Amino acid sequence: MRKYIFLILMISASLQMFAKEEVTLRASAPEVVVNGDQFRLTYTVNSQDVKDFLAPQAKGFDVLMGPSRSQQSSTQIINGKVSSSRSITYTYILMAVSEGTFNIPSASIEVDGEKIFSNPLTIKVLPKDKEDANSNQGNSGISSRNQKSSGRITDNDLFVLATASKTKVHEQEAILVTYKAYTTVDLRQLLGKMPDQQGFYVQEVELPTQKTFKLEHYKGRNYNTVVYRQYVLFPQKAGRLEIPAVTFDAVVAQRVAVSDDPFEAFFNGGGYVEVNKKIVAPKVVINVEPLPSKPEGYSGGVGTFTMKSDISTTELKANEAVTIKLTISGTGNMKLVSAPEVKFPHDFEIYDPKIDDNYQLTADGLSGTKTIEYLAIPRHAGNFTIPPIEFKYFDIKSETYKTLNTDAYTLKVNKGDGSSANQQVIADFTNKESVKVLGTDILFIKTGDSALMQKGKYFFGTAAYYLWYIIPFVLFIVFVVIYRKQAVENANVARVKTKKANKVATKRMKLAGKLLSENKVNEFYDEVLKALWGYISDKLNIPVSKLSRDNIEAELAGHGVSEELIKEFIGALSECEFARYAPGNQNEAMDKVYSASVDVISKMENSIKTLKH
């Protein structure tokens, strides 16, 4: 019996191993190259039973080598499942000889008598750098653009551009703002974030964590570029609005002279040193036009929308629930759109609508659906009409207001039987404990024993009667005094920020502690730096953008803080900034940074409080 089972398993494994899969021929090459650069063009077919490979002519490129043929085979057994793969790769080395965009047609190969074609390719060839063109050094390749030797990194070697998809818009019209880094150096890290905006509702576009650089020709030079941040902004008012300049902190790996001693070269980072550089992305000006005079019932929507509705039933009994489901689809300021009004008959009991948002952020705004469910309960039998539902919005394409309408609904309400079968439906819309039932709202004359009071005993004129007037008046006077004192204190913004500095820093350090336990290295160091810089900014009433180590030392010394504590605070900043790049045990470094930061903030708070007293 065991022999038969083993034989069946072997046959099954063999069939899976040699089962034929769809044969494909895949072409791959860089999307962008520089004139004079050499690059690889490969064709890979997932079969080895092939013949008559025929490559197309590549106009705009010289073939330096190829085709060279290589074969690959592999077999895997995972959880008893056998899989195998076999492929052949044809490789060409090409050189771009002219600028422009070139198409490479499909290659072909014959497999089991059938001709298979590859995907076509489109390659963009950029002009050489001006300095390279002048010196006839055209074969530097992409790698040379990342190898700047030690020296000053200029604003032409590394910068960030801020661009807006539109600079003239209407109120609530979506704008995509992109911060793209251009570099000819080895950019390792870039930190920066758009500050809080005045006059805009802002949402950040989620970008891949792993950044991918692409070649781009800009003002006579070829740069490696990457989109670092993207935001979608909705202007909330008309006029000339500014998106302020944003400062980024860059970390660049710069090549230095390498010693002949291999041990010294190893401990010096293989001939590279990390250099910090501040980059300022320029401000962007947006001209916002006001919306035309808003019609009555305007929803606040700006964009392009459609609407449909559905009703749960058109025939029901009195005291049973009916729901109308309204779905608004489209692209625009979906989050700021208000729910349309449904005009139910007067004797219907109406509940607050339930709203379900399902949209995603795009370059044109929020795209998706807003689903609104309205619930009502008829209390009387009869025939009722629910008029069409109107949704008014401002259409971006036509720059006019448009009105969407649903169909009217006719309800036939039969006499109810007093059952409560719809309680679960109502519970989804409200937390009311029960539904009112008509017929019990008229109370009978009270019967039975009544409490009697002795003649001549009245509350009027007693001491308690006058206290009911005096006590509230005294409390009112005390409240006014306390409120005015609090208002005066709150008017001093700098003092309020100073008082709350420790609370804000403590909150940030708690979040940093959570990131530490989750081993999120970059997020941890960012939060600790925000806590340190933010704390000292609030305490000294100096914006973070104007802070530096030099003026921190001067300001703290002016507030009477000891020199030893000032050095400890500056040391905590430096240790946090450099710990993330230091070799060794990262967890131990994070623990040390966390403890040092908490300790120095506590000491600084106690020191400044003592000096004030």
Side-chain angles (χ1 to χ4, degrees):
M1 185 65 181
R2 292 181 178 177
K3 292 182 178 179
Y4 291 114
I5 294 174
F6 179 74
L7 182 61
I8 291 172
L9 290 174
M10 290 297 296
I11 293 173
S12 176
S14 300
L15 290 175
Q16 291 183 19
M17 184 181 299
F18 296 106
K20 289 186 177 181
E21 60 178 334
E22 182 182 0
V23 179
T24 58
L25 179 62
R26 184 172 59 88
S28 63
E31 295 180 359
V32 182
V33 297
V34 175
N35 188 14
D37 279 0
Q38 301 176 16
F39 62 94
R40 292 177 183 271
L41 169 64
T42 62
Y43 295 92
T44 303
V45 58
N46 57 341
S47 174
Q48 293 185 351
D49 301 324
V50 300
K51 63 179 182 178
D52 296 339
F53 172 74
L54 182 61
Q57 289 186 350
K59 293 182 179 179
F61 306 97
D62 284 345
V63 179
L64 304 181
M65 188 189 78
S68 61
R69 171 173 166 155
S70 61
Q71 298 184 5
Q72 301 85 29
S73 299
S74 66
T75 302
Q76 290 182 331
I77 302 177
I78 302 175
N79 296 329
K81 186 177 181 180
V82 181
S83 62
S84 63
S85 62
R86 299 183 300 166
S87 63
I88 297 177
T89 300
Y90 299 89
T91 304
Y92 291 86
I93 303 297
L94 304 183
M95 183 175 72
V97 294
S98 57
E99 303 166 12
T101 301
F102 301 93
N103 296 318
I104 299 179
S106 300
S108 65
I109 198 168
E110 188 174 327
V111 181
D112 296 333
E114 182 182 358
K115 187 162 281 192
I116 307 295
F117 293 91
S118 71
N119 54 294
L121 297 173
T122 299
I123 300 176
K124 184 177 182 179
V125 181
L126 303 177
K128 301 177 184 178
D129 288 346
K130 285 185 178 180
E131 54 267 31
D132 288 346
N134 294 334
S135 59
N136 293 324
Q137 296 176 356
N139 295 327
S140 58
I142 297 174
S143 60
S144 66
R145 284 178 284 276
N146 281 335
Q147 303 295 329
K148 183 179 177 67
S149 60
S150 60
R152 181 173 174 271
I153 300 173
T154 68
D155 292 339
N156 289 328
D157 299 325
L158 176 60
F159 56 90
V160 175
L161 288 184
T163 56
S165 58
K166 293 171 277 189
T167 56
K168 186 177 180 181
V169 295
H170 287 90
E171 289 180 71
Q172 300 292 344
E173 184 177 350
I175 309 163
L176 179 67
V177 178
T178 302
Y179 290 90
K180 182 188 283 190
Y182 291 72
T183 178
T184 60
V185 295
D186 189 357
L187 179 62
R188 295 290 177 88
Q189 194 173 36
L190 195 62
L191 298 175
K193 194 173 183 180
M194 179 187 287
D196 293 337
Q197 299 297 305
Q198 297 294 328
F200 292 100
Y201 172 72
V202 182
Q203 285 202 287
E204 185 172 359
V205 178
E206 188 174 347
L207 297 175
T209 305
Q210 189 67 33
K211 304 297 184 184
T212 303
F213 286 86
K214 293 184 179 181
L215 268 176
E216 187 174 322
H217 193 79
Y218 180 77
K219 291 186 176 180
R221 295 187 71 182
N222 293 306
Y223 293 90
N224 286 317
T225 66
V226 62
V227 175
Y228 179 66
R229 291 266 196 241
Q230 278 189 323
Y231 300 89
V232 176
L233 280 68
F234 298 90
Q236 301 299 298
K237 60 182 180 180
R240 185 180 184 274
L241 303 182
E242 286 189 359
I243 303 171
V246 180
T247 301
F248 293 89
D249 294 313
V251 178
V252 176
Q254 199 170 34
R255 189 168 57 185
V256 296
V258 181
S259 171
D260 294 333
D261 186 349
F263 292 100
E264 184 178 349
F266 174 78
F267 287 107
N268 284 335
Y272 285 87
V273 64
E274 289 188 341
V275 178
N276 296 323
K277 180 175 174 60
K278 286 193 177 295
I279 309 169
V280 178
K283 69 178 181 181
V284 180
V285 177
I286 306 295
N287 294 306
V288 183
E289 295 182 357
L291 293 176
S293 180
K294 300 179 179 64
E296 184 179 356
Y298 172 57
S299 66
V302 174
T304 304
F305 303 100
T306 60
M307 182 176 66
K308 65 177 182 178
S309 67
D310 185 31
I311 192 167
S312 59
T313 181
T314 56
E315 185 173 354
L316 67 162
K317 295 180 180 180
N319 298 322
E320 288 184 350
V322 60
T323 59
I324 292 180
K325 185 177 181 180
L326 193 68
T327 303
I328 300 173
S329 305
T331 301
N333 60 339
M334 293 283 290
K335 199 169 185 178
L336 305 176
V337 170
S338 58
E341 179 186 3
V342 179
K343 298 179 180 178
F344 287 100
H346 292 300
D347 54 355
F348 277 42
E349 184 171 355
I350 304 170
Y351 292 81
D352 292 334
K354 185 174 70 173
I355 301 175
D356 181 24
D357 293 320
N358 183 19
Y359 41 70
Q360 59 184 1
L361 196 61
T362 67
D364 297 319
L366 296 168
S367 181
T369 60
K370 179 187 284 287
T371 304
I372 311 162
E373 290 187 69
Y374 303 84
L375 181 141
I377 300 175
R379 293 306 187 182
H380 298 289
N383 294 323
F384 302 92
T385 299
I386 300 175
I389 305 169
E390 287 188 348
F391 176 71
K392 296 180 181 180
Y393 72 96
F394 183 77
D395 183 67
I396 290 297
K397 295 180 180 178
S398 63
E399 297 188 354
T400 59
Y401 289 101
K402 289 189 176 181
T403 302
L404 304 177
N405 294 284
T406 65
D407 295 330
Y409 293 110
T410 301
L411 295 183
K412 182 180 180 181
V413 181
N414 300 315
K415 186 176 180 180
D417 55 8
S419 64
S420 58
N422 61 333
Q423 292 300 308
Q424 183 58 45
V425 177
I426 298 170
D428 292 338
F429 285 79
T430 179
N431 58 1
K432 292 183 179 180
E433 295 180 359
S434 62
V435 181
K436 295 178 183 177
V437 179
L438 297 181
T440 63
D441 56 343
I442 301 176
L443 302 179
F444 293 100
I445 298 174
K446 188 173 183 180
T447 59
D449 296 334
S450 300
L452 300 177
M453 183 178 293
Q454 187 177 352
K455 184 179 179 181
K457 288 189 176 180
Y458 299 101
F459 178 70
F460 177 77
T462 63
Y465 171 79
Y466 291 107
L467 285 175
W468 275 104
Y469 287 95
I470 296 172
I471 292 174
F473 179 74
V474 172
L475 291 176
F476 174 75
I477 297 298
V478 172
F479 172 77
V480 169
V481 172
I482 295 174
Y483 177 78
R484 291 193 64 182
K485 182 179 178 182
Q486 190 67 33
V488 171
E489 291 180 356
N490 290 340
N492 190 340
V493 178
R495 185 177 179 183
V496 171
K497 289 180 66 177
T498 302
K499 288 175 65 177
K500 293 184 177 180
N502 189 49
K503 285 186 178 181
V504 175
T506 302
K507 185 177 180 181
R508 284 174 172 164
M509 290 307 298
K510 284 183 179 179
L511 178 57
K514 183 179 178 182
L515 296 171
L516 171 63
S517 62
E518 295 173 358
N519 200 26
K520 294 183 178 179
V521 179
N522 289 335
E523 292 86 345
F524 166 78
Y525 285 117
D526 289 344
E527 201 61 36
V528 172
L529 283 173
K530 287 179 183 178
L532 292 171
W533 284 106
Y535 172 79
I536 209 67
S537 171
D538 291 339
K539 276 295 180 185
L540 300 179
N541 194 26
I542 299 175
V544 176
S545 60
K546 296 183 180 180
L547 284 177
S548 66
R549 286 176 172 79
D550 295 335
N551 62 11
I552 285 177
E553 291 183 18
E555 290 290 337
L556 288 177
H559 282 71
V561 179
S562 65
E563 184 177 352
E564 181 181 353
L565 184 54
I566 294 174
K567 289 182 178 179
E568 186 175 348
F569 186 83
I570 299 298
L573 280 174
S574 301
E575 186 173 0
C576 181
E577 290 176 345
F578 292 104
R580 71 173 71 181
Y581 310 117
N585 189 337
Q586 193 63 247
N587 290 333
E588 183 178 344
M590 291 165 68
D591 289 335
K592 185 178 178 183
V593 166
Y594 182 79
S595 300
S597 300
V598 170
D599 184 55
V600 76
I601 289 175
S602 176
K603 289 181 179 178
M604 188 68 68
E605 181 69 13
N606 293 333
S607 174
I608 294 178
K609 279 186 177 180
T610 302
L611 290 170
K612 285 184 177 180
H613 292 309

